[in-house]
Amino acid sequence: MDRTDAARSLKDDFGFTDECLRSFDSSDLVSFHRYLGQLREDPAAAFSVVGENRQFTVHRFDTALARRDLGRPRARRLPLPRVTTMIAENGSPGFMIISTSGKGALATPNAFEDTPSDDRLKELAVKEGLKPLISIGEKDGGTEILLTLFNLSFQTLARNVFETFAAHRLFPFLTLIREIAGEEKRVRSITHCRFFFKSPPGKETLASIESDFARYLEADLRFMSIFDIIGPSMVGPSSSHTAGACRIGQISRSILAAMRKGGVFGRIDAVSVKLIGSFRDTGVGHRTPSAIAGGLWGYRPDDERVMEFGDPLFLEKNPIEIAGDKALFKGFIKGSAEDDKKYSSERSANIAEVTAITDKGEFTVTGFSLGGGNVEARYINGKRLSEPLTGKEEPSLRDLLGADFPETRIERIVSGSPGTGPSEERPEFNTFEEVAEYCASEKKDILEVALESEAKLCGASGEEIFSEMRGYWLIMKEGIRKGLENRELSPFRLSGGDSAKMADYSRNNRNFDNLYGRAAAYAAAVNEMNACSRVIVAAPTAGSCGIIPGVLKAYEEIAGTPEKKILEALVIAGFLGMILFDDVSTAGADYGCQAEVGAAAAMAAGGIAHIEGGDASQVIQAFTLALKNCMGLVCDPVAGLVEVPCVKRNGIYTSVALTSAMMAMSGVVSFVSPDEVVLAVREVGEKLHRDYKETAGGGLARTRDGLRVASEFRKEVERFFRD
């Protein structure tokens, strides 16, 4: 049979459109006609053809088989640009044809003639801020959906597209997917999709599909080290407002030092710090101004000298030494409402501008604290950097700012993982559900995958990971010991001694001398140390630093658990937190306390499920059940201090972690799937009013008792911000 006959039969007998026919060459059409004829005789038949730069499969209509074929490692390794074509008919006979071609063997050049060019797609990636682009229109008597995505893993795309169409009981007849490489570090890949439906689905259905795509197709896992989540060790009280603030100061110091060394300017005369958003509203209570200034001196977040050297009285008398210059400190400045608007699209409310006054004018570094001590410097003098600076890299000024700047390197300030450093290799998953699928398909447990992920991303061996984690575990246990021994009140008398009362009561009451009673007391003990600005481990934040150590220490005592299993639980907790962090920042100023205490309870639940022998699905279910039942938790600290309700809340939410682990191990599962729970948490966090995001503008902070403390605290605020 020649091409003409094959094309006619495919069109008449199998419903191929003219565009389908144009998408393949003559030999393909003849092959498809033959295979579909055999499939009509034997619906269980399947055919596969594999070449050097191309492969295709033909089988019955089955979305599970299609997902498998789309995600085959060989297909994903074909070189970019890469084109995937799928023709599917869920009828009689039902069939799917899936073809993937790599560079040098593109089988569907005509299929993208009327879509944006590669250069235009790259422009859109930068202009639209990497958000999905969706449009719907009529074509050839049917309906076409165009979808452009940036940095999305193909596995996440395939899974969510199939799930979205299945939820609406429809499937496109023709799917065309074009993948190209981006040109910037920020734009690694671009995927352009076309979905053609012969019968228009209807306005309500299309609106629902558009909404689902916008919601579920933003996932791009920003792989981090598990020690970005379990860690850093720090002086309290807040990982975002204290440790993160200190790191913003450190990064600013490194950038200014590189500029001075590279000759961008000849000397630094003075520096000032402007606090914006939540840094302005509750920063003094979190010791944010002192932390930034201490970082400008070069001190780390766990160095107790940070607070001394960042105190306003000390700064008045002592110029800050940067790159050999002695820079006068010009003061802390309150950001305005206009400053808030300027950064309103940044998905972070913890913002500081560090300005150096030099012989060549002013240079301003704008830093954002994302939670858990993780930060990004995103702007210099109002110009967005080509790649945010996190303090873990050593780029040159030219890398960040362009050819007009020297090659001078910016000193790294964060060591991160104990491994050799970031690599280009990425794990084979992007979300919680993909982790569970990956564990099942590769027959690996979740600990093995967590260690494999850390090894791929940071070059760390299992021995190095456990050694580093043991150091953190020792700090956690020391925080429990010191907290239980402490009977003194915090500097502002809002907390202190309660954990000792709880421990004494539970020891003398057999109804409470159990896993739940001890975990609550131990968690409160650690958070009391945080309120006193003692050294703790952010897990994942300082405001929630007691839950994971409290739960694990109590379990260790009650069950006699070996230290190795505790360290494994910490690794898994960090791994789960890393995946959550992609969609939900762990800063209360961004998503409320659900992102701090809620995240910690979920991570602890996952760790306990692992110790109990849970498989990947059970561990993820434990995490999901805890997170789901912390949704909507607001961040309303009295006077902006990390004490009320934080200390007692740490104790109380240990029970959520333990109960969630117990439920998951008993076979209870969340009705709403894990990935959808995460996105629901993000939605709730984004819709929370700013008064409930660590601004002390609502909730407990606005009660009579809360306002009384705020009034007493006003003198401390005035020490930093002088009108």
Side-chain angles (χ1 to χ4, degrees):
M1 176 177 284
D2 63 17
R3 181 197 188 282
T4 303
D5 292 336
R8 184 183 300 110
S9 179
L10 288 170
K11 187 172 184 177
D12 295 342
D13 299 337
F14 296 96
F16 275 48
T17 63
D18 290 336
E19 187 160 24
C20 292
L21 298 175
R22 289 199 307 270
S23 297
F24 297 95
D25 61 26
S26 301
S27 61
D28 285 335
L29 296 178
V30 172
S31 297
F32 293 161
H33 184 270
R34 182 172 70 254
Y35 293 144
L36 290 177
Q38 294 178 47
L39 191 63
R40 176 177 277 174
E41 298 297 324
D42 179 8
F47 311 94
S48 180
V49 176
V50 178
E52 183 178 353
N53 278 321
R54 175 146 178 259
Q55 69 176 46
F56 70 79
T57 58
V58 180
H59 53 66
R60 68 183 182 278
F61 185 94
D62 186 317
T63 56
L65 288 176
R67 278 189 60 192
R68 181 203 66 187
D69 293 340
L70 285 168
R72 285 187 190 277
R74 177 178 174 80
R76 306 279 34 94
R77 285 197 292 266
L78 291 175
L80 296 176
R82 189 165 50 223
V83 171
T84 297
T85 305
M86 183 188 319
I87 302 173
E89 180 66 69
N90 186 13
S92 181
F95 64 86
M96 282 183 159
I97 299 173
I98 302 169
S99 170
T100 302
S101 304
K103 184 177 182 180
L106 299 183
T108 57
N110 297 325
F112 294 98
E113 285 181 349
D114 56 349
T115 59
S117 66
D118 289 1
D119 288 341
R120 177 57 180 156
L121 289 174
K122 291 170 184 176
E123 289 175 10
L124 289 171
V126 176
K127 180 181 177 182
E128 301 297 332
L130 304 183
K131 288 187 174 295
L133 305 178
I134 307 167
S135 65
I136 300 172
E138 296 180 359
K139 183 178 176 65
D140 298 335
T143 297
E144 183 176 64
I145 299 176
L146 300 180
L147 180 64
T148 306
L149 306 160
F150 309 103
N151 295 349
L152 190 77
S153 82
F154 197 88
Q155 188 175 12
T156 301
L157 167 67
R159 181 168 62 83
N160 281 288
V161 163
F162 279 118
E163 288 181 359
T164 296
F165 290 144
H168 295 88
R169 293 182 172 82
L170 52 81
F171 204 86
F173 181 76
L174 175 63
T175 298
L176 297 166
I177 303 173
R178 172 163 126 250
E179 301 168 78
I180 64 173
E183 291 183 346
E184 300 182 24
K185 289 183 180 179
R186 201 162 64 96
V187 187
R188 296 188 307 275
S189 65
I190 302 172
T191 307
H192 182 69
C193 310
R194 298 178 63 188
F195 305 106
F196 175 75
F197 300 85
K198 290 182 178 179
S199 301
K203 290 184 178 180
E204 288 187 8
T205 299
L206 286 172
S208 181
I209 290 172
E210 184 175 11
S211 174
D212 281 355
F213 280 169
R215 181 182 178 88
Y216 296 118
L217 290 175
E218 264 195 277
D220 167 44
L221 189 54
R222 296 169 292 174
F223 287 103
M224 309 165 69
S225 167
I226 57 176
F227 297 105
D228 291 321
I229 306 299
I230 302 294
S233 59
M234 55 166 287
V235 173
S238 170
S239 52
S240 61
H241 283 59
T242 314
C246 180
R247 283 180 169 172
I248 288 173
Q250 287 181 286
I251 288 176
S252 299
R253 175 188 177 87
S254 294
I255 292 172
L256 294 172
M259 288 182 163
R260 174 75 162 82
K261 183 178 178 182
V264 177
F265 47 75
R267 69 175 184 276
I268 305 173
D269 295 322
V271 292
S272 65
V273 174
K274 180 185 284 189
L275 291 98
I276 300 168
S278 184
F279 270 7
R280 172 197 60 229
D281 297 335
T282 62
V284 174
H286 295 83
R287 311 188 78 174
T288 302
S290 294
I292 295 175
L296 278 169
W297 278 97
Y299 294 117
R300 291 164 48 91
D302 59 356
D303 193 319
E304 294 184 354
R305 289 174 293 181
V306 163
M307 299 306 165
E308 175 190 351
F309 279 66
D311 187 271
L313 292 177
F314 184 90
L315 292 167
E316 279 183 15
K317 300 174 182 178
N318 299 277
I320 299 175
E321 297 179 8
I322 303 175
D325 292 331
K326 292 188 175 182
L328 296 175
F329 185 69
K330 290 293 188 179
F332 298 106
I333 303 165
K334 280 188 177 182
S336 66
E338 289 303 311
D339 291 316
D340 291 347
K341 289 180 183 177
K342 182 167 60 174
Y343 299 115
S344 61
S345 64
E346 292 290 341
R347 273 194 178 178
S348 176
N350 305 322
I351 310 164
E353 291 182 348
V354 177
T355 298
I357 302 165
T358 79
D359 60 330
K360 298 293 185 181
E362 293 187 356
F363 292 84
T364 299
V365 178
T366 306
F368 298 79
S369 181
L370 309 178
N374 297 286
V375 300
E376 290 182 353
R378 296 178 182 170
Y379 296 87
I380 294 180
N381 279 4
K383 178 183 178 182
R384 191 174 188 103
L385 303 181
S386 59
E387 186 76 8
L389 190 62
T390 67
K392 303 169 191 174
E393 320 88 346
E394 293 183 283
S396 71
L397 290 171
R398 183 168 296 174
D399 291 336
L400 291 180
L401 298 169
D404 293 337
F405 286 81
E407 287 282 4
T408 313
R409 291 281 158 188
I410 299 170
E411 183 181 350
R412 183 173 61 183
I413 59 122
V414 181
S415 58
S417 168
T420 57
S423 72
E424 294 299 318
E425 194 171 5
R426 294 170 64 85
E428 301 291 330
F429 47 79
N430 213 53
T431 67
F432 286 107
E433 290 168 44
E434 288 174 15
V435 169
E437 291 173 0
Y438 179 73
C439 289
S441 65
E442 300 298 316
K443 296 182 172 52
K444 295 178 178 179
D445 64 38
I446 196 166
L447 175 65
E448 187 178 358
V449 172
L451 294 172
E452 176 186 285
S453 169
E454 190 74 6
K456 282 184 176 181
L457 295 165
C458 304
S461 68
E463 184 178 348
E464 289 173 323
I465 293 168
F466 284 119
S467 176
E468 183 82 359
M469 196 61 81
R470 185 172 187 274
Y472 280 141
W473 177 234
L474 294 176
I475 296 172
M476 290 176 174
K477 290 196 294 183
E478 185 68 1
I480 293 172
R481 185 187 69 79
K482 288 183 176 179
L484 293 176
E485 291 177 354
N486 177 56
R487 295 296 194 277
E488 298 178 3
L489 294 177
S490 65
F492 292 96
R493 307 180 305 283
L494 299 186
S495 63
D498 287 340
S499 62
K501 295 175 186 175
M502 295 161 63
D504 288 343
Y505 182 81
S506 64
R507 274 194 297 266
N508 294 305
N509 187 322
R510 64 181 183 179
N511 293 327
F512 289 98
D513 188 21
N514 54 30
L515 189 57
Y516 283 81
R518 293 190 192 185
Y522 297 166
V526 175
N527 218 248
E528 285 177 343
M529 289 293 93
N530 180 60
C532 292
S533 294
R534 305 288 172 79
V535 177
I536 53 89
V537 176
T541 69
S544 61
C545 65
I547 294 175
I548 292 175
V551 166
L552 292 180
K553 178 61 177 170
Y555 193 95
E556 181 185 56
E557 291 179 354
I558 296 293
T561 308
E563 183 182 70
K564 180 66 160 50
K565 296 299 291 185
I566 297 295
L567 300 183
E568 289 178 3
L570 285 168
V571 168
I572 285 172
F575 177 67
L576 297 172
M578 177 193 77
I579 299 172
L580 173 68
F581 185 87
D582 182 55
D583 286 300
V584 180
S585 144
T586 55
D590 294 334
Y591 290 99
C593 199
Q594 61 175 3
E596 295 202 33
V597 161
M603 290 161 63
I608 292 296
H610 168 74
I611 297 176
E612 284 282 315
D615 59 21
S617 292
Q618 289 171 309
V619 168
I620 290 171
Q621 282 298 324
F623 180 96
T624 303
L625 289 165
L627 186 66
K628 182 171 71 172
N629 286 286
C630 296
M631 193 161 62
L633 194 57
V634 301
C635 186
D636 55 348
V638 167
L641 301 166
V642 191
E643 298 189 52
V644 177
C646 316
V647 173
K648 299 179 183 70
R649 186 172 285 174
N650 270 249
I652 289 169
Y653 275 79
T654 57
S655 63
V656 172
L658 292 167
T659 303
S660 299
M662 182 270 289
M663 284 183 169
M665 293 307 299
S666 68
V668 174
V669 299
S670 170
F671 176 79
V672 179
S673 65
D675 293 345
E676 295 197 41
V677 167
V678 170
L679 291 173
V681 169
R682 186 176 75 181
E683 177 197 346
V684 170
E686 289 175 348
K687 289 181 178 178
L688 277 178
H689 192 277
R690 69 179 302 275
D691 286 349
Y692 307 109
K693 295 182 181 182
E694 210 165 358
T695 59
L700 296 175
R702 303 301 294 175
T703 61
R704 284 180 296 182
D705 290 336
L707 291 173
R708 175 178 53 78
V709 176
S711 179
E712 294 172 358
F713 189 66
R714 196 166 293 129
K715 288 183 179 179
E716 178 69 8
V717 174
E718 290 170 355
R719 284 204 318 123
F720 290 86
F721 300 117
R722 296 180 179 177
D723 297 329

